[in-house]
Amino acid sequence: MTLEGEWIGRKLATMLSAQVLQSGWIWYPAEVPRVSRKRADARLRQLVDRHLDFVARVLRNLGTPDGDVDDAVQKTFLVLSDRLDGVRPGAEKAFLFQTAANVAAHVRRTLARRREVAEDRAPERSEEVPSPEVLADRSRARVLLDQVLEALDDDARAVFVLYELEEMTMAEIATALELAPGTVASRLRRARSQFKDGIRRLQTRTAEMEAS
Amino acid sequence: MNEPRRLIDDSPSELESALLRAGRDYRASATTHTKTLAALGLASSATLLAKSSAAASLWSLKGLLVGGAVVGVVATGVVLVRAPAARPDTVPAELERRDRAAIITPTTPKGPAEESAAPPEALPEDAAEPAAPNPARTPVTPSRAASITAELQAIDAARSALAAGNGARALALLDEHARRFPGGRLHLEAEVLRIEALARSGQGPTARTRARAFVERHPNSVFTPRIKRLAGE
């Protein structure tokens, strides 16, 4: 057996150990202590039920396209499952947010690479802005929100999403993001400024289209 | 800490309010919930099937056969095929035995490479794997749904054999699955299960080869992070 083969073999053996398998993968119940597994499962199930919407919304508002949210939600909770023992009760929501932020960043990077590859062939992005009547259509509002949020820098965007869209308190955000309270406040101010700039740009474009 | 008023409470702009509402109103779908539980191994097949049955009509409206088709179609299959004899919570005995999740995590095709990727060599039928169905044109027929229900049962039987420590039996059941369901929708789940069964049956080199092939062929599968970690990548 080659060195590589031996190394893979060791990894495969590790993968098959009960300790690893306990972490939430699916088909080795016989090797895991039943009581601890059931307890972990119950906790995990409760967290899914409690935070699923939060995770999906955070992923979406941090730039994950609608069609990728399903996979991103699964990945986020799989990470939680793998590390559940190390997540202090009460700190799960913060853990989920940080994980979701990482997953969303990965999705955005992947999309950016795809765009680069397809840039020459892709049609130009539409600058059309819907009329106020059309804004009643929530999906259109969603598209515009994506455009505005896209202009926020990542740090500011995270605070904006948690404060303005998730209605978390600044103290909760400071804890979740492990930031000083003053940093949260300054990022929120910056995010609001960037958000309002984005709104103004949209309004200007709308006015220009109506005038032409 | 002073809490400024939320923008949505103070906004003079209709546009701004509409956008903020759009951001706040986003919710996970029932499909997302079901898929997540399946990926985590938290829902028994019975739970999945019951939930999926309840959502089946909505799913059909949304055309959600792509990607998440397995659960939905299985649910529909239960309704269509077993309706005369079964309540929604009545499922095959093999399915109720499990206390870890059904291996029915659907994987959404990520792109041409992923869609055309066939699993390792023991599943040659996958070379003829059909393209992802077009929800607008692919009806959920009873025979189609029943087929997927049967495939799920076949996979589940293999998983149960493996959980019981009988790798050889699991392999035999997986071989049978490959014969009965060429190009089956659960071929990824079957392959991951086969890797484990091979390893447990003293066929380590084959298991390792297939593990590496799986990672190469399915870099974006929900299963892949786990397999990668197992392979030490």
Side-chain angles (χ1 to χ4, degrees), chain A residues 122-133:
Chain A
E124 286 186 16
R125 184 173 177 172
S126 171
E127 291 299 311
E128 183 184 352
V129 178
S131 66
E133 294 80 36

Side-chain angles (χ1 to χ4, degrees), chain A residues 70, chain B residues 29 31 35 58-70 72-73 135:
Chain A
D70 266 3
Chain B
S29 67
T31 310
K35 285 183 181 180
L58 176 62
W59 292 6
S60 64
L61 287 174
K62 287 182 169 182
L64 285 177
L65 278 175
V66 176
V70 175
V73 172

Side-chain angles (χ1 to χ4, degrees), chain A residues 105-118:
Chain A
H106 178 74
V107 171
R108 289 203 305 273
R109 285 194 298 272
T110 303
L111 288 175
R113 283 197 295 271
R114 282 185 204 157
R115 283 196 201 105
E116 285 174 10
V117 170

